[in-house]
Amino acid sequence: MDRYEKAALLEWWANPSTCLVRIPVRVTATASTGEWEALLSSPLDHGVRDDLKQLVDADPCFTLRFDTSAVEVQAEGFDGLDHLQLVAVPGP
């Protein structure tokens, strides 16, 4: 299998105890590249979209949370509507 799609949550944490954004997404990954395309599961209203864009511009690091695991990712692109390009952040 060289492509898969799965539901996940995209989270932006202000600090270890405060999650400011938690957005349901549908992610598509290509085999072992560490890159995902995230499609927002439901349309965001204009204000929330603007807030997400500001967060991406300020600090593009997010947590991509699956059922039983999570990975740190960086938003490499946001079309301002419903797609984000995500790249895995290498661990320590």
Side-chain angles (χ1 to χ4, degrees), residues 2-17:
D2 52 356
R3 286 179 60 92
Y4 69 90
E5 185 176 316
K6 187 165 182 151
L9 291 171
L10 189 63
E11 302 171 339
W12 194 93
W13 290 81
N15 59 48
S17 62

Side-chain angles (χ1 to χ4, degrees), residues 3-61:
R3 286 179 60 92
Y4 69 90
E5 185 176 316
K6 187 165 182 151
L9 291 171
L10 189 63
E11 302 171 339
W12 194 93
W13 290 81
N15 59 48
S17 62
T18 307
C19 180
L20 292 181
V21 172
R22 183 172 286 129
I23 301 169
V25 294
R26 193 93 192 144
V27 292
T28 304
T30 304
S32 303
T33 63
E35 296 181 8
W36 292 271
E37 178 180 350
L39 175 63
L40 305 180
S41 294
S42 57
L44 301 177
D45 68 35
H46 184 69
V48 174
R49 229 180 11 249
D50 288 346
D51 292 345
L52 179 58
K53 176 141 179 46
Q54 286 181 330
L55 289 174
V56 169
D57 290 345
D59 183 359
C61 292

